[in-house]
Amino acid sequence: MNLLLENTIQSQYEFAQFWSRQPEKSGEQKAEHYARIFQEFDSNFDLKFDAQELRKLLAARYHVKAPPRVVETFDENGDAALELFEFINLERNLDIVGAEAMRESEEELVEEVRY
């Protein structure tokens, strides 16, 4: 079983591998990938990630603290939330190397995910 599916924690290597395989994946596989993410982290089921949901997602999946104004940066339609294509744009532009500098201690990230 894929460790990523088992515990929803994704390492930087897994993230890089995921994106390197994107051209190979079918549309159906991509849809399933994003459906799982939205199912797990879209707490109010509005098919968008607000700032709180996005903080939890980034902490749980990528072990990074959400940069300031991340929603505003990728929110193309100005609704203060990231819809699917806006989230895909964020994920494609997530600077893993730069995100390393934003790393919090594991305890702080756990608290971020809980609240």
PDB file of all heavy atoms in Angstrom, residues 2-11 14 36 40-41 57 59-63:
ATOM      1  N   ASN A   2       0.454   2.237  -0.708  1.00  0.00           N
ATOM      2  CA  ASN A   2       1.179   3.495  -0.789  1.00  0.00           C
ATOM      3  C   ASN A   2       1.137   4.191   0.562  1.00  0.00           C
ATOM      4  O   ASN A   2       0.075   4.435   1.116  1.00  0.00           O
ATOM      5  CB  ASN A   2       0.526   4.368  -1.861  1.00  0.00           C
ATOM      6  CG  ASN A   2       1.256   5.658  -2.091  1.00  0.00           C
ATOM      7  OD1 ASN A   2       2.035   6.108  -1.265  1.00  0.00           O
ATOM      8  ND2 ASN A   2       0.993   6.258  -3.225  1.00  0.00           N
ATOM      9  N   LEU A   3       2.314   4.520   1.093  1.00  0.00           N
ATOM     10  CA  LEU A   3       2.402   5.183   2.387  1.00  0.00           C
ATOM     11  C   LEU A   3       1.640   6.498   2.389  1.00  0.00           C
ATOM     12  O   LEU A   3       1.018   6.866   3.366  1.00  0.00           O
ATOM     13  CB  LEU A   3       3.877   5.422   2.759  1.00  0.00           C
ATOM     14  CG  LEU A   3       4.142   6.081   4.100  1.00  0.00           C
ATOM     15  CD1 LEU A   3       3.580   5.213   5.223  1.00  0.00           C
ATOM     16  CD2 LEU A   3       5.622   6.294   4.304  1.00  0.00           C
ATOM     17  N   LEU A   4       1.658   7.203   1.270  1.00  0.00           N
ATOM     18  CA  LEU A   4       0.956   8.472   1.163  1.00  0.00           C
ATOM     19  C   LEU A   4      -0.533   8.297   1.447  1.00  0.00           C
ATOM     20  O   LEU A   4      -1.128   9.072   2.171  1.00  0.00           O
ATOM     21  CB  LEU A   4       1.152   9.062  -0.236  1.00  0.00           C
ATOM     22  CG  LEU A   4       0.396  10.335  -0.552  1.00  0.00           C
ATOM     23  CD1 LEU A   4       0.842  11.447   0.384  1.00  0.00           C
ATOM     24  CD2 LEU A   4       0.617  10.736  -1.980  1.00  0.00           C
ATOM     25  N   LEU A   5      -1.132   7.263   0.908  1.00  0.00           N
ATOM     26  CA  LEU A   5      -2.552   7.031   1.139  1.00  0.00           C
ATOM     27  C   LEU A   5      -2.812   6.546   2.554  1.00  0.00           C
ATOM     28  O   LEU A   5      -3.865   6.780   3.106  1.00  0.00           O
ATOM     29  CB  LEU A   5      -3.080   6.009   0.135  1.00  0.00           C
ATOM     30  CG  LEU A   5      -3.010   6.426  -1.325  1.00  0.00           C
ATOM     31  CD1 LEU A   5      -3.517   5.287  -2.201  1.00  0.00           C
ATOM     32  CD2 LEU A   5      -3.797   7.684  -1.572  1.00  0.00           C
ATOM     33  N   GLU A   6      -1.829   5.892   3.129  1.00  0.00           N
ATOM     34  CA  GLU A   6      -1.991   5.319   4.458  1.00  0.00           C
ATOM     35  C   GLU A   6      -2.026   6.392   5.537  1.00  0.00           C
ATOM     36  O   GLU A   6      -2.844   6.346   6.441  1.00  0.00           O
ATOM     37  CB  GLU A   6      -0.840   4.352   4.712  1.00  0.00           C
ATOM     38  CG  GLU A   6      -1.055   3.444   5.885  1.00  0.00           C
ATOM     39  CD  GLU A   6       0.040   2.411   5.940  1.00  0.00           C
ATOM     40  OE1 GLU A   6       0.121   1.596   5.011  1.00  0.00           O
ATOM     41  OE2 GLU A   6       0.807   2.452   6.909  1.00  0.00           O
ATOM     42  N   ASN A   7      -1.136   7.377   5.473  1.00  0.00           N
ATOM     43  CA  ASN A   7      -1.076   8.340   6.559  1.00  0.00           C
ATOM     44  C   ASN A   7      -1.253   9.792   6.122  1.00  0.00           C
ATOM     45  O   ASN A   7      -1.164  10.682   6.927  1.00  0.00           O
ATOM     46  CB  ASN A   7       0.232   8.193   7.340  1.00  0.00           C
ATOM     47  CG  ASN A   7       1.444   8.510   6.504  1.00  0.00           C
ATOM     48  OD1 ASN A   7       1.344   9.139   5.458  1.00  0.00           O
ATOM     49  ND2 ASN A   7       2.599   8.098   6.965  1.00  0.00           N
ATOM     50  N   THR A   8      -1.490  10.044   4.877  1.00  0.00           N
ATOM     51  CA  THR A   8      -1.718  11.355   4.268  1.00  0.00           C
ATOM     52  C   THR A   8      -0.577  12.334   4.472  1.00  0.00           C
ATOM     53  O   THR A   8      -0.728  13.513   4.216  1.00  0.00           O
ATOM     54  CB  THR A   8      -3.041  12.018   4.735  1.00  0.00           C
ATOM     55  OG1 THR A   8      -2.922  12.405   6.100  1.00  0.00           O
ATOM     56  CG2 THR A   8      -4.230  11.124   4.494  1.00  0.00           C
ATOM     57  N   ILE A   9       0.574  11.875   4.919  1.00  0.00           N
ATOM     58  CA  ILE A   9       1.737  12.745   5.041  1.00  0.00           C
ATOM     59  C   ILE A   9       2.608  12.522   3.820  1.00  0.00           C
ATOM     60  O   ILE A   9       2.914  11.399   3.457  1.00  0.00           O
ATOM     61  CB  ILE A   9       2.523  12.457   6.331  1.00  0.00           C
ATOM     62  CG1 ILE A   9       1.643  12.804   7.532  1.00  0.00           C
ATOM     63  CG2 ILE A   9       3.825  13.239   6.356  1.00  0.00           C
ATOM     64  CD1 ILE A   9       2.252  12.410   8.856  1.00  0.00           C
ATOM     65  N   GLN A  10       2.987  13.607   3.197  1.00  0.00           N
ATOM     66  CA  GLN A  10       3.747  13.516   1.963  1.00  0.00           C
ATOM     67  C   GLN A  10       5.104  14.170   2.145  1.00  0.00           C
ATOM     68  O   GLN A  10       5.189  15.323   2.537  1.00  0.00           O
ATOM     69  CB  GLN A  10       2.971  14.214   0.851  1.00  0.00           C
ATOM     70  CG  GLN A  10       3.551  14.037  -0.512  1.00  0.00           C
ATOM     71  CD  GLN A  10       2.623  14.567  -1.578  1.00  0.00           C
ATOM     72  OE1 GLN A  10       1.879  15.508  -1.341  1.00  0.00           O
ATOM     73  NE2 GLN A  10       2.666  13.987  -2.746  1.00  0.00           N
ATOM     74  N   SER A  11       6.154  13.437   1.862  1.00  0.00           N
ATOM     75  CA  SER A  11       7.496  13.996   1.975  1.00  0.00           C
ATOM     76  C   SER A  11       7.792  14.865   0.763  1.00  0.00           C
ATOM     77  O   SER A  11       7.077  14.825  -0.246  1.00  0.00           O
ATOM     78  CB  SER A  11       8.535  12.878   2.055  1.00  0.00           C
ATOM     79  OG  SER A  11       8.656  12.232   0.804  1.00  0.00           O
ATOM     80  N   GLU A  14       8.261  12.625  -2.189  1.00  0.00           N
ATOM     81  CA  GLU A  14       7.003  12.131  -2.739  1.00  0.00           C
ATOM     82  C   GLU A  14       6.299  13.220  -3.548  1.00  0.00           C
ATOM     83  O   GLU A  14       5.721  12.949  -4.597  1.00  0.00           O
ATOM     84  CB  GLU A  14       6.083  11.643  -1.620  1.00  0.00           C
ATOM     85  CG  GLU A  14       6.541  10.360  -0.972  1.00  0.00           C
ATOM     86  CD  GLU A  14       5.745  10.028   0.272  1.00  0.00           C
ATOM     87  OE1 GLU A  14       5.411  10.943   1.044  1.00  0.00           O
ATOM     88  OE2 GLU A  14       5.462   8.833   0.455  1.00  0.00           O
ATOM     89  N   ARG A  36      -9.652  13.088  -3.162  1.00  0.00           N
ATOM     90  CA  ARG A  36      -9.226  12.654  -1.824  1.00  0.00           C
ATOM     91  C   ARG A  36      -8.786  13.841  -0.976  1.00  0.00           C
ATOM     92  O   ARG A  36      -9.100  13.921   0.208  1.00  0.00           O
ATOM     93  CB  ARG A  36      -8.087  11.637  -1.926  1.00  0.00           C
ATOM     94  CG  ARG A  36      -8.529  10.262  -2.330  1.00  0.00           C
ATOM     95  CD  ARG A  36      -7.440   9.223  -2.131  1.00  0.00           C
ATOM     96  NE  ARG A  36      -6.203   9.535  -2.826  1.00  0.00           N
ATOM     97  CZ  ARG A  36      -5.883   9.129  -4.051  1.00  0.00           C
ATOM     98  NH1 ARG A  36      -6.726   8.383  -4.728  1.00  0.00           N
ATOM     99  NH2 ARG A  36      -4.729   9.459  -4.596  1.00  0.00           N
ATOM    100  N   GLU A  40     -10.842  15.108   2.401  1.00  0.00           N
ATOM    101  CA  GLU A  40     -10.219  15.126   3.712  1.00  0.00           C
ATOM    102  C   GLU A  40     -10.147  16.519   4.337  1.00  0.00           C
ATOM    103  O   GLU A  40     -10.323  16.670   5.539  1.00  0.00           O
ATOM    104  CB  GLU A  40      -8.802  14.550   3.619  1.00  0.00           C
ATOM    105  CG  GLU A  40      -8.133  14.462   4.969  1.00  0.00           C
ATOM    106  CD  GLU A  40      -6.829  13.687   4.930  1.00  0.00           C
ATOM    107  OE1 GLU A  40      -6.493  13.108   3.890  1.00  0.00           O
ATOM    108  OE2 GLU A  40      -6.142  13.675   5.959  1.00  0.00           O
ATOM    109  N   PHE A  41      -9.892  17.547   3.551  1.00  0.00           N
ATOM    110  CA  PHE A  41      -9.594  18.858   4.129  1.00  0.00           C
ATOM    111  C   PHE A  41     -10.658  19.935   3.902  1.00  0.00           C
ATOM    112  O   PHE A  41     -10.594  20.993   4.526  1.00  0.00           O
ATOM    113  CB  PHE A  41      -8.241  19.359   3.608  1.00  0.00           C
ATOM    114  CG  PHE A  41      -7.096  18.510   4.074  1.00  0.00           C
ATOM    115  CD1 PHE A  41      -6.522  17.572   3.237  1.00  0.00           C
ATOM    116  CD2 PHE A  41      -6.609  18.632   5.371  1.00  0.00           C
ATOM    117  CE1 PHE A  41      -5.471  16.773   3.676  1.00  0.00           C
ATOM    118  CE2 PHE A  41      -5.570  17.838   5.819  1.00  0.00           C
ATOM    119  CZ  PHE A  41      -4.998  16.904   4.968  1.00  0.00           C
ATOM    120  N   LEU A  57      -4.308  21.741   5.721  1.00  0.00           N
ATOM    121  CA  LEU A  57      -3.846  20.904   4.619  1.00  0.00           C
ATOM    122  C   LEU A  57      -2.330  20.980   4.467  1.00  0.00           C
ATOM    123  O   LEU A  57      -1.655  19.957   4.384  1.00  0.00           O
ATOM    124  CB  LEU A  57      -4.532  21.350   3.325  1.00  0.00           C
ATOM    125  CG  LEU A  57      -4.295  20.538   2.074  1.00  0.00           C
ATOM    126  CD1 LEU A  57      -5.440  20.757   1.114  1.00  0.00           C
ATOM    127  CD2 LEU A  57      -3.001  20.847   1.382  1.00  0.00           C
ATOM    128  N   ALA A  59      -0.103  21.926   6.630  1.00  0.00           N
ATOM    129  CA  ALA A  59       0.570  21.365   7.812  1.00  0.00           C
ATOM    130  C   ALA A  59       0.528  19.848   7.793  1.00  0.00           C
ATOM    131  O   ALA A  59       1.536  19.188   8.054  1.00  0.00           O
ATOM    132  CB  ALA A  59      -0.074  21.905   9.089  1.00  0.00           C
ATOM    133  N   ALA A  60      -0.616  19.276   7.469  1.00  0.00           N
ATOM    134  CA  ALA A  60      -0.769  17.824   7.513  1.00  0.00           C
ATOM    135  C   ALA A  60      -0.077  17.110   6.363  1.00  0.00           C
ATOM    136  O   ALA A  60       0.574  16.094   6.561  1.00  0.00           O
ATOM    137  CB  ALA A  60      -2.259  17.463   7.524  1.00  0.00           C
ATOM    138  N   ARG A  61      -0.200  17.617   5.155  1.00  0.00           N
ATOM    139  CA  ARG A  61       0.350  16.914   3.983  1.00  0.00           C
ATOM    140  C   ARG A  61       1.800  17.258   3.678  1.00  0.00           C
ATOM    141  O   ARG A  61       2.542  16.422   3.200  1.00  0.00           O
ATOM    142  CB  ARG A  61      -0.491  17.199   2.744  1.00  0.00           C
ATOM    143  CG  ARG A  61      -1.817  16.478   2.752  1.00  0.00           C
ATOM    144  CD  ARG A  61      -2.551  16.648   1.453  1.00  0.00           C
ATOM    145  NE  ARG A  61      -1.935  15.986   0.337  1.00  0.00           N
ATOM    146  CZ  ARG A  61      -2.141  14.731  -0.028  1.00  0.00           C
ATOM    147  NH1 ARG A  61      -2.932  13.972   0.678  1.00  0.00           N
ATOM    148  NH2 ARG A  61      -1.556  14.225  -1.092  1.00  0.00           N
ATOM    149  N   TYR A  62       2.175  18.521   3.904  1.00  0.00           N
ATOM    150  CA  TYR A  62       3.504  18.963   3.478  1.00  0.00           C
ATOM    151  C   TYR A  62       4.402  19.387   4.627  1.00  0.00           C
ATOM    152  O   TYR A  62       5.542  19.774   4.402  1.00  0.00           O
ATOM    153  CB  TYR A  62       3.368  20.109   2.465  1.00  0.00           C
ATOM    154  CG  TYR A  62       2.518  19.724   1.286  1.00  0.00           C
ATOM    155  CD1 TYR A  62       1.245  20.237   1.126  1.00  0.00           C
ATOM    156  CD2 TYR A  62       2.983  18.801   0.359  1.00  0.00           C
ATOM    157  CE1 TYR A  62       0.456  19.871   0.051  1.00  0.00           C
ATOM    158  CE2 TYR A  62       2.200  18.424  -0.713  1.00  0.00           C
ATOM    159  CZ  TYR A  62       0.940  18.969  -0.862  1.00  0.00           C
ATOM    160  OH  TYR A  62       0.157  18.583  -1.922  1.00  0.00           O
ATOM    161  N   HIS A  63       3.861  19.381   5.827  1.00  0.00           N
ATOM    162  CA  HIS A  63       4.628  19.752   7.025  1.00  0.00           C
ATOM    163  C   HIS A  63       5.204  21.163   6.930  1.00  0.00           C
ATOM    164  O   HIS A  63       6.337  21.403   7.324  1.00  0.00           O
ATOM    165  CB  HIS A  63       5.766  18.754   7.284  1.00  0.00           C
ATOM    166  CG  HIS A  63       5.273  17.418   7.669  1.00  0.00           C
ATOM    167  ND1 HIS A  63       5.508  16.874   8.889  1.00  0.00           N
ATOM    168  CD2 HIS A  63       4.525  16.507   6.991  1.00  0.00           C
ATOM    169  CE1 HIS A  63       4.941  15.687   8.946  1.00  0.00           C
ATOM    170  NE2 HIS A  63       4.344  15.453   7.814  1.00  0.00           N
TER     171      HIS A  63
END
